[in-house]
Amino acid sequence: PHSQFSGVANADGLGWRETWLFYTSYLDFWKLCVPRADVLLAMLAENLRLFLEAPASSCLFPTLGEGNAYFGMLLGVTLSAGILAGVVRQARAQEWKPIHFIFPLYAAVALFWNYGLMDRFLLLFLPLFYAGLWVEAKHLVSMLRENFRPARPLADKVLAGILGLGITSLLVSAAIHYRDGIPPVLPSAMARRAALAEEKRQAYDWIRQNADPGIRFIAYQDVILYFYTGRQAMRPIAFSTEAFYKKDEKVLRRDLAGITDVARHIGARYWVAAEDDFDLETGLPLIERRMAQLKSVLPVVFRSRGNKVQLYDLNCLQQPDRSDCRAARPVLFPASSPL
């Protein structure tokens, strides 16, 4: 549905340019997000850390410390090194397969990609990581048993005992961390997503019944809106990843200054705003403050029953003086109105 927007691809506005390139050219969007050598180095350093933690995270999900603590990061990298050592050990003992050669080439591309989603990017290699963990664990157990033989010196036995206790403690800690970190969170997360999905469907029903097929929308989940309603939409903005890698709030503020560029350039009439729109973005508090400012001056034409999804009228953004934008309390559709 975005092909009809190409006529304004060169329109002014950084927010529009970023978002248009996000949809149309991965290479040009990468160049925009990595404009300087210092950004490239920061990106490579962060991606390398995430890459080195990924095998351990895949086998001990979630990783101890989850990368937020230095000890957790160090432990994750150490475990990953053991897993990769097991991969090499298995390949040498049996046979090098195509996947062993694909892995380093694929990894090189992932390290240079400006989204550090290693848990997603390396999903293809989970069987390789599990096999490496199994092979290296058997090798380690064999070494420990060898050191406990009666003929071995006492020092070797003590060292093997300490190592064995360390491994046992790690396994117990991982099991406890998994028990406390994942199962309690999943039900609440699933319930939240189900509630949001229901309220989004209410908004989509309203759109089908009240919006002409030619009307354009702003929606973070633009593809889903199109599937449900058949109406064209674009996400409000594609943020530069420079803000994440450089930890620079100025970059995020710069992007947020153009958060209405896309709406103006495609002539969007409505903005579909949901509670979870920017949950995965860097600098969520700053984004939420900017969105609160924007919502305070846009008339609301629809609220879902739980008020987790709203539709804002963007007609005022198309006026040169934005005279129709108002901070007054808007007239709302009743929450109990048929959808």
Side-chain angles (χ1 to χ4, degrees):
H2 303 299
S3 60
Q4 297 184 23
F5 299 150
S6 58
V8 289
N10 295 320
D12 294 334
L14 180 62
W16 164 252
R17 183 165 176 262
E18 286 180 338
T19 309
W20 179 254
L21 293 179
F22 174 84
Y23 281 110
T24 60
S25 175
Y26 281 145
L27 179 59
D28 288 337
F29 185 69
W30 187 93
K31 292 177 181 178
L32 188 146
C33 293
V34 189
R36 302 180 309 277
D38 62 315
V39 181
L40 176 63
L41 292 176
M43 181 188 74
L44 289 175
E46 180 68 12
N47 283 356
L48 180 61
R49 179 186 69 81
L50 295 172
F51 176 83
L52 291 176
E53 290 180 336
S57 178
S58 301
C59 297
L60 297 173
F61 186 77
T63 304
L64 294 173
E66 299 183 89
N68 296 322
Y70 179 77
F71 176 75
M73 178 193 71
L74 187 62
L75 183 58
V77 171
T78 303
L79 291 173
S80 293
I83 292 170
L84 295 177
V87 170
V88 175
R89 192 182 306 279
Q90 182 194 38
R92 286 178 173 175
Q94 300 179 12
E95 182 182 358
W96 291 92
K97 307 292 185 181
I99 195 171
H100 295 115
F101 300 100
I102 293 172
F103 178 67
L105 298 175
Y106 184 95
V109 176
L111 288 175
F112 277 90
W113 193 238
N114 61 314
Y115 286 94
L117 306 174
M118 296 302 171
D119 54 342
R120 182 187 303 177
F121 294 161
L122 299 180
L123 194 63
L124 171 67
F125 301 98
L126 284 185
L128 193 67
F129 296 155
Y130 293 149
L133 177 64
W134 175 253
V135 169
E136 195 63 16
K138 288 200 304 181
H139 175 71
L140 188 59
V141 169
S142 175
M143 289 177 58
L144 292 176
R145 292 175 61 182
E146 181 67 25
N147 282 334
F148 275 115
R149 290 175 180 264
R152 300 292 296 185
L154 178 61
D156 289 351
K157 295 180 181 179
V158 172
L159 183 61
I162 294 174
L163 184 59
L165 287 175
I167 294 173
T168 301
S169 300
L170 174 62
L171 293 175
V172 171
S173 299
I176 294 174
H177 189 59
Y178 177 85
R179 181 198 66 188
D180 297 340
I182 294 298
V185 173
L186 284 178
S188 59
M190 292 173 62
R192 180 174 181 256
R193 288 184 65 87
L196 275 169
E198 172 59 29
E199 298 200 29
K200 289 175 183 177
R201 282 193 291 268
Q202 295 170 17
Y204 301 149
D205 289 342
W206 186 93
I207 290 170
R208 285 198 303 269
Q209 296 175 20
N210 297 276
D212 291 337
I215 289 178
R216 292 171 174 176
F217 290 79
I218 292 297
Y220 194 85
Q221 295 184 333
D222 55 325
V223 176
I224 295 178
L225 184 146
Y226 178 75
F227 285 157
Y228 272 92
T229 69
R231 273 63 171 179
Q232 291 184 328
M234 286 185 73
R235 61 188 295 159
I237 192 171
F239 293 106
S240 169
T241 55
E242 180 184 352
F244 168 73
Y245 287 112
K246 292 292 291 182
K247 307 296 186 289
D248 190 349
E249 192 175 273
K250 293 180 181 178
V251 176
L252 182 57
R253 289 184 181 276
R254 178 205 67 192
D255 288 353
L256 286 171
I259 200 169
T260 60
D261 288 352
V262 173
R264 288 188 290 104
H265 288 311
I266 70 172
R269 178 59 191 275
Y270 297 111
W271 188 315
V272 181
E275 188 180 81
D276 64 338
D277 276 351
F278 299 98
D279 281 1
L280 300 180
E281 300 289 353
T282 300
L284 183 59
L286 188 59
I287 296 173
E288 290 178 337
R289 289 199 297 271
R290 180 70 179 95
M291 286 302 301
Q293 293 173 353
L294 185 62
K295 292 175 181 179
S296 69
V297 297
L298 293 175
V300 179
V301 297
F302 170 84
R303 292 186 192 274
S304 61
R305 291 192 176 95
N307 197 29
K308 298 180 184 297
V309 181
Q310 307 89 32
L311 264 72
Y312 293 89
D313 192 333
L314 299 177
N315 187 56
C316 66
L317 294 180
Q318 314 307 330
Q319 309 302 322
D321 59 354
R322 303 189 183 184
S323 56
D324 291 341
C325 292
R326 53 191 173 88
R329 185 178 181 83
V331 177
L332 309 182
F333 282 85
S336 59
S337 63
L339 299 169

